[in-house]
Structures are given as structure tokens and as C-alpha cells.
Amino acid sequence: MLSKPTKMLTKVSIFIFIAIVLLASFKSHAQSPKLELFDSNGAPAGPAIILKSDANMTLTGLINHVVVTQTYQNENPFAVNARYVFPLPDESAVHAMTMHIGERVIKGQIDKKVEAEKKYEEAKKAGKQAALVRQQRPNMFITNVANIGPGEQVIIELEYQEIIDYSSGTFAIRFPTTITPRYHAISGEVEVNTQNQAHVNPLPTGWLSPVYSIQNITQNSTQNDTVPSSQFSLNIDIDVGLELVDISSKFHNVDVQNTAFGQYKIALNEMNAVNRDFVLEFKPLQKEQAQAAFFTQQFENGDRYGLAMLIPPGDHFTQTQRLPREMVFVVDTSGSMHGQSMEQAKKALFYALSLLDSDDSFNIIGFDSIVTPMSDKPLIASDFNLRRAERFIYSLEADGGTEIQGALNAVLDGSEFDGFVRQVVFLTDGSVSNEDVLFKNIQSKLGDSRLFTVGIGSAPNSFFMRRAADIGKGSFTFIGSTSEVQPKMQQLFDKLAHPAITNLALSDESGNSLDFWPSPLPDLYFGEPIMVAIKLNDAKSVVLAGQTAQGPLSIKLSTQNSSSAQGIAKLWARQKIKSLLLYNEQSTVKDEVQELALTHQLLSPFTAFIAIEQTQIKEVAEQTAQATNAVPQGMAMRLPQTDGQSRLHILLGCILLLGFGALKINRGLKLSSEYK
């Protein structure tokens, strides 16, 4: 007869053995070659529809005109509804949509979002083929296609425009191909150095998540093992009127042809291209030719719009005496940064430390679900403190949720500073969904600090990064690989070392204020241009006024010698919508934004494109298939990505707790028998 302690130990041993067998089975299953679909919360998703996507770009002047074609192929023996959550550049002005069904072409119409959604649902239930395109975020969109018949193909064509980026003598265009899974903040408050309890992680109202295709997932696998379920092609025509040098794709293989003077054709030459942002950079042979540019668009009713790019001379950024500065480096250590993103962030921090001067002070703050500062106060950049900082950086690990608001609360409190400059450098992939809450937090607590955002990873949330820098009166830098860390951080520190031009505004030759956007204009840093869209009307010249460290700035641009361009009015409206939503409560500007979007045929939070084929099909679709996104390159596959939870870690923890409990029970039973 076994004693009670022996029985208890036997039962616990059997349980632990079974748990270990299950754990090994789970690991083996995870390593087996298998195609699975997951949403951004890690939940399994149904089979997806086949998607082919093409992008054709035409760069003229300062504007990139883009046509994106999405081809949905239903290989099922029954009708389906298709859905696709996809990215576009955060500054894109989406102004047209067309649906192709065989030889039939249905032109999409802009409408109020609520009305468009209602029309789409009615058409779907009636068995009609329809398409609906909406904006979920300025860089995140949703296409719905209703009632695609068995074996049928439906093509959705989208058109958008954007202003070409120019900074530090280099033009750049960026096309996102996938979406980093978003973290949905649990609450607005995060205590410093305290452990958060588990809470329900609610989705924002109406939020639709991407789904991801994953193959050969192992415990430590990365995107190199992922096979995308979609096809993608990209072609670019460049005609900016300048001879170019150093045309290079930063993260993809491309073919480049110089067809004529100042004209170039670029084609993507790579199969697995949809797991990271596409970035193309090119430089003018004569940089002085790109110091100023002005384009105008004239309408029959007399309205005239302008698009201006101006780089003030470098001597406007000099100062007689360098002020001491306090540098605060805030680094995202949440689960979505796991893998290559964390490596890039650490390398950027190490390089930043090497650029500090002896009279600078600094601090480093890591954050995920909690905020962990290196020091409770800024430290002088001495050798001892720099070595301490290096040890702190080495210790950083990616896990937990992306609670950015807690980090912002730790570094911004509305304070003003005399005798020194306080600059906050924020390194993150920005993979959050509560951007508006964070923008308001920055606006209310910025004080005299300046916020500079550094986008890390292969597919960062550029909408958050760019807008946060605008409100924070800083600038946005993107680092897409470890090879870019040194040159990009050097460019950032060149900006940090020079005083900004502030209080920028535009007027006509008579001093009358112009209707320009974005407004207010952000502070201007060394090597950056002013990019602004203006409603000109009868203005013969535009005067840029601002304040430099040496005194007032005034630069005059003539509108009479400008070049003609198309699409400027839409870019003006897009920039106005951006500024209205960024600096105001959404409810107070909804009517104005909606009217602007309807007038200029633009997607917005309150408008959508709808296209309906009036002919009814035989079969009404009862199932919805969602086109998949590729997992961003370099991201360790531990879905859900950004909250850092691991079923493996939880199971191991349970086993250890049970084992410890069994020992305690055994000890208690022994003591009890001794007393008897």
C-alpha cells in the first residue's frame, strides 16, 4: 500500500510527464511544414482568396502619380466575398477607384462613408457584384469585393498621388507592401517600473485586422521562412527634369534604364518582395538645381494652386554659440520589435552614444508594457556613464505590449527649459492603433522639448512616426536595415546639432496671409526642405517668413516662372485634411473634412469609394475570404506579435509551479505524519 505522499508524488510525476510529451508534440507540430493563416491577434483564419497586386508610378516634378491594381481570383467552387486590409503611403491622396469584371468597367463614386457602406451591403445581399474602398488609417485601407463567382476574377484599380520626399540632397519614394501587426493599448496609464496585470485588449471601434500567411514556423523562425500568398509587381517612370545619379533601391533588386535625358524606367526584379517596404532613392547630379522648385495648377473657374519646395541656405542654420543639450533616447522593447528591429535599435543607440559631446547630458528609457529608465535623472556624457549606458542597452530585450503613452508620460511633462536644448529621440516601429490619443498627449505635454522619431524595422507605422514628429516639432528618420544605422543617425545628429528655423508662415507680395497646408508649418531642420501646397488665386509671389538663431528670415518666390503640373489641388486638399484632423477634435472638423473630401474626390475617415455592377449574379456569396499579408521581414514569428505572450512560456511556468506545489504538499504531509 502506497503512502499518501508517495501517491501524490506519483500523480504529479505522471502529470509532468504528460505535459512534457504534449510540449514536445507542440514544438514538433510548429516545426512541420504547413501553410497557416493568422490574424494580427494570432487567431487562425480561414483560407484566403488569391491576390495579385501591381503598382505603376509616374514621377513628374515633385509629384508621384500611382496606379495600384488589385486582382482577386476566386478558385473556390462557390461564390465568395473578398476583403483585403492593405497599406499605402501615409501622405497618399487616394482620388479614384475603378472595378473591372471581365470586359465590364464600373467607375467608382466617392460618397459619404456611411452611405457607401449601406449601398455596398444592399448590393451584396441582392447578389450584385460591388466594391467598397475605405480608409482605416491614413496609411491603412480596406477593399471589400462582393459576390465573386466561382473561378471568376475581379480587378480593383486605385489611383493616388503623393509629394516626393526630399532631404539631405536625396529624393525618395516609399511604397509599403505589408503591415506590422498593431498593438491595441490596454489603457492610457502605465506605471514606471511596475508590473501590469493582465487585461482584456480591446480593438478600436470598427477595426479590421490583416491576416498573415505563415509557413515552416518554428519557435525562432523569421520571415525568411515565410512564403507570401500574393504576387506583386512594381514599375516606375521618372521624369523630374533633372539628370540623376545614384538611383538605388534600398531593400529590393531592381532593373534601371536611362531612356532619355532626365528620364528613367525602374522595374522590380524580385519574387519575394512583399514582406518589407519598397524604398527608391535618387540624387540630382547638380544639387543646386534642387534647392527650389515651384509648380502650379490653373482651373477654368480661376482657382490656382501651387506646390513649393524650398531649401533655405545652410548659413541660416548656424549659431554663434552652441547651447548645452539634454538628449533622451526612448527605445521600444515591445514584442513587435523582436528580431532584426531590436538589433537595429540597439545599433542606433550605440552609435548615438558615440556622437554625444562631453557637455551633453543624456538618459535612455526602454518601454514595453512598463517603462524602464536607465537613470532617474539625466547623466553627464562621461566615459563612466557611457559605459553604464552600453551595459543597459545590451540588457534590453523585446517583449510585452507597445504602451507608448506610458513612455511619453515619462519624458514629456510640459516643462520649459532655460539655457539648454532638450531633444527626445524616440526609436520604435510605431505598431499601435491608438495614434490619435498619442498625438493629443504629445501636443499637450511637449513644452520646450523637441520630439524626433526614428522608424525601425522593415514595415514601420509611418503614419504615427511622421505625425508625432510634426506635433513634436522635430523630424522623422527611417532606418530599414542595420547597414543604414550609421548614415541615418549621422544625418539625424546633423539636424540636432543645428538650430531649427521656427515660426514659419507664407504670405503674398502684399503681406496677405495665404491659404497653405500643412498648417502650421513644422519647424525646419538642416538639410530639409519646406514642402507646402498653396491656394494662390491672384498672388504673383510667395514670401516665406520665419525665425532663425541669427534673426528673422524672409525668402521670396515668384509664381510667374513656375512649371505646370496636375493634381496639386488634390494634394492641397489632402494636406488640409491632414492638418485639420491632427490639431483638432475629429468631431469638430468632421463636416469640413467630409466636404473637402467630397469636393476633391478623396478618401478620408468620412468618405469611401463605391462601385456596383447592376446585373445580378446567380449565386449570392455566403462566405468571406480575406487576402493575406506577408509577415514583415525580420520579425520573429511569435503571434500575437506585439504583446509578447508565449504559450510555451506559460506552459513551462505552469509545470514549474505545479512541481513546486507538489514539493510543498509533500513536505506538509511529512510534517503532519511526524506530528501524528
Side-chain angles (χ1 to χ4, degrees):
M1 188 76 178
L2 295 174
S3 64
K4 287 184 178 180
T6 304
K7 286 182 179 179
M8 178 61 69
L9 284 174
T10 302
K11 290 178 180 178
V12 171
S13 299
I14 292 172
F15 175 79
I16 292 176
F17 173 76
I18 293 172
I20 291 172
V21 171
L22 289 173
L23 183 62
S25 174
F26 170 77
K27 185 175 181 182
S28 173
H29 171 73
Q31 290 177 334
S32 62
K34 179 180 178 182
L35 178 65
E36 295 180 275
L37 304 179
F38 296 89
D39 64 18
S40 59
N41 292 318
I49 199 161
I50 295 175
L51 170 73
K52 182 177 183 297
S53 184
D54 306 290
N56 292 286
M57 302 182 176
T58 304
L59 281 65
T60 56
L62 296 175
I63 302 175
N64 183 17
H65 304 265
V66 186
V67 178
V68 175
T69 305
Q70 300 170 350
T71 303
Y72 298 87
Q73 179 75 35
N74 179 17
E75 295 292 339
N76 299 297
F78 49 83
V80 298
N81 302 311
R83 182 171 65 215
Y84 181 35
V85 181
F86 63 97
L88 287 178
D90 61 286
E91 296 284 332
S92 58
V94 183
H95 62 86
M97 182 266 273
T98 307
M99 179 169 66
H100 301 261
I101 307 171
E103 297 298 322
R104 305 188 300 280
V105 178
I106 300 95
K107 186 71 175 176
Q109 302 297 318
I110 195 73
D111 203 348
K112 295 178 182 178
K113 183 178 179 181
V114 174
E115 294 298 322
E117 290 174 337
K118 181 180 178 181
K119 292 176 183 177
Y120 175 79
E121 289 300 322
E122 290 174 350
K124 184 171 72 171
K125 291 177 182 177
K128 297 178 181 179
Q129 292 183 308
L132 176 72
V133 179
R134 293 166 289 168
Q135 173 185 306
Q136 182 160 257
R137 290 291 187 272
N139 62 339
M140 208 170 167
F141 298 81
I142 303 164
T143 295
N144 290 85
V145 184
N147 297 313
I148 305 176
E152 193 173 34
Q153 187 180 89
V154 174
I155 298 173
I156 305 299
E157 190 176 270
L158 299 173
E159 297 180 45
Y160 75 84
Q161 297 175 163
E162 63 176 342
I163 301 173
I164 303 170
D165 282 338
Y166 184 74
S167 181
S168 301
T170 302
F171 288 101
I173 55 171
R174 180 187 192 84
F175 186 82
T177 63
T178 191
I179 300 169
T180 298
R182 299 292 192 259
Y183 174 76
H184 309 293
I186 295 171
S187 67
E189 297 295 326
V190 178
E191 297 294 331
V192 177
N193 279 332
T194 61
Q195 185 66 42
N196 280 2
Q197 301 299 316
H199 293 286
V200 175
N201 196 3
L203 298 175
T205 303
W207 180 270
L208 289 174
S209 297
V211 295
Y212 298 88
S213 61
I214 307 166
Q215 186 168 359
N216 292 336
I217 296 304
T218 64
Q219 183 180 354
N220 298 313
S221 71
T222 64
Q223 178 62 23
N224 291 334
D225 300 318
T226 300
V227 177
S229 63
S230 62
Q231 304 171 44
F232 176 64
S233 69
L234 175 64
N235 293 280
I236 305 170
D237 289 324
I238 301 179
D239 185 5
V240 293
L242 298 171
E243 188 174 357
L244 305 177
V245 293
D246 296 335
I247 300 176
S248 64
S249 170
K250 305 302 292 184
F251 314 117
H252 294 79
N253 297 321
V254 295
D255 295 326
V256 180
Q257 294 181 347
N258 186 188
T259 57
F261 178 81
Q263 297 181 4
Y264 303 84
K265 287 186 178 293
I266 292 94
L268 181 66
N269 183 17
E270 187 171 336
M271 292 296 292
N272 187 16
V274 293
N275 58 6
R276 58 205 184 275
D277 288 1
F278 176 87
V279 178
L280 185 77
E281 293 184 352
F282 50 94
K283 299 178 182 179
L285 182 61
Q286 302 294 330
K287 285 188 179 181
E288 60 273 9
Q289 294 178 347
Q291 296 300 299
F294 203 92
F295 297 87
T296 57
Q297 182 180 17
Q298 181 79 47
F299 288 90
E300 292 181 0
N301 64 0
D303 287 348
R304 192 161 64 110
Y305 294 85
L307 179 63
M309 182 190 79
L310 175 67
I311 302 179
D315 55 9
H316 286 293
F317 296 92
T318 60
Q319 57 188 354
T320 55
Q321 182 180 1
R322 183 186 182 279
L323 294 173
R325 62 181 175 182
E326 176 188 328
M327 299 287 298
V328 183
F329 300 100
V330 185
V331 58
D332 183 350
T333 60
S334 65
S336 64
M337 292 284 288
H338 195 275
Q340 291 182 11
S341 295
M342 198 67 235
E343 294 176 16
Q344 293 168 21
K346 287 185 175 183
K347 188 173 180 180
L349 286 172
F350 284 129
Y351 188 70
L353 292 179
S354 71
L355 298 176
L356 291 176
D357 291 335
S358 58
D359 58 348
D360 291 335
S361 60
F362 76 102
N363 200 357
I364 302 175
I365 297 175
F367 77 92
D368 41 60
S369 299
I370 60 174
V371 177
T372 308
M374 180 189 71
S375 171
D376 57 2
K377 62 182 179 181
L379 303 173
I380 297 297
S382 63
D383 289 341
F384 177 81
N385 289 329
L386 291 174
R387 287 195 296 272
R388 174 182 172 182
E390 289 173 352
R391 291 193 296 272
F392 180 81
I393 295 170
Y394 277 121
S395 71
L396 296 175
E397 294 183 359
D399 198 10
T402 315
E403 292 288 348
I404 290 181
Q405 185 151 318
L408 292 173
N409 291 338
V411 296
L412 300 178
D413 60 6
S415 298
E416 298 182 359
F417 307 97
D418 293 326
F420 69 96
V421 178
R422 188 172 188 266
Q423 297 166 332
V424 179
V425 178
F426 211 97
L427 299 95
T428 178
D429 59 11
S431 61
V432 292
S433 63
N434 63 332
E435 295 99 335
D436 286 344
V437 173
L438 300 175
F439 297 153
K440 290 179 176 61
N441 193 23
I442 295 169
Q443 193 170 4
S444 64
K445 296 183 178 181
L446 184 66
D448 276 351
S449 298
R450 294 295 178 261
L451 179 64
F452 298 82
T453 56
V454 179
I456 297 291
S458 56
N461 181 2
S462 57
F463 160 57
F464 169 72
M465 312 297 295
R466 198 183 304 271
R467 303 296 196 280
D470 285 345
I471 298 175
K473 299 181 179 180
S475 66
F476 165 55
T477 302
F478 169 65
I479 297 175
S481 67
T482 52
S483 63
E484 287 196 311
V485 168
Q486 185 166 330
K488 290 297 183 73
M489 289 302 290
Q490 185 63 61
Q491 288 179 12
L492 173 59
F493 267 74
D494 287 342
K495 297 173 186 177
L496 299 177
H498 293 83
I501 299 177
T502 60
N503 302 323
L504 289 161
L506 292 173
S507 62
D508 63 16
E509 65 277 5
S510 301
N512 301 314
S513 180
L514 291 170
D515 190 1
F516 62 88
W517 301 94
S519 180
L521 286 171
D523 289 353
L524 188 61
Y525 288 87
F526 181 76
E528 291 188 338
I530 283 284
M531 289 278 199
V532 60
I534 316 158
K535 194 170 185 179
L536 292 168
N537 295 330
D538 297 326
K540 294 181 176 58
S541 62
V542 173
V543 180
L544 173 68
Q547 186 67 36
T548 74
Q550 297 176 330
L553 163 75
S554 181
I555 300 177
K556 190 174 183 179
L557 278 176
S558 172
T559 66
Q560 304 302 307
N561 299 322
S562 61
S563 300
S564 178
Q566 297 299 312
I568 297 177
K570 295 185 185 298
L571 292 172
W572 173 87
R574 176 68 181 81
Q575 290 297 317
K576 184 172 183 178
I577 289 171
K578 166 189 168 181
S579 295
L580 288 174
L581 293 173
L582 190 58
Y583 295 102
N584 300 277
E585 290 289 340
Q586 192 173 98
S587 58
T588 64
V589 296
K590 177 181 178 180
D591 291 342
E592 186 176 3
V593 168
Q594 185 172 266
E595 184 61 30
L596 264 173
L598 291 173
T599 300
H600 293 272
Q601 303 279 295
L602 296 176
L603 274 187
S604 75
F606 314 117
T607 54
F609 277 107
I610 177 74
I612 300 175
E613 166 60 57
Q614 296 303 321
T615 304
Q616 185 172 342
I617 65 172
K618 295 180 181 180
E619 181 182 2
V620 177
E622 296 181 356
Q623 297 188 45
T624 296
Q626 183 159 339
T628 62
N629 296 76
V631 179
Q633 184 185 52
M635 177 175 284
M637 290 314 307
R638 300 187 302 161
L639 290 170
Q641 287 294 332
T642 108
D643 64 7
Q645 298 300 319
S646 170
R647 286 176 288 176
L648 178 62
H649 294 164
I650 292 171
L651 185 55
L652 285 172
C654 290
I655 292 172
L656 290 173
L657 285 173
L658 286 170
F660 179 74
L663 290 175
K664 295 287 287 185
I665 292 171
N666 184 37
R667 181 177 295 180
L669 290 173
K670 281 185 176 181
L671 290 174
S672 176
S673 61
E674 288 175 3
Y675 281 117
K676 288 180 181 180

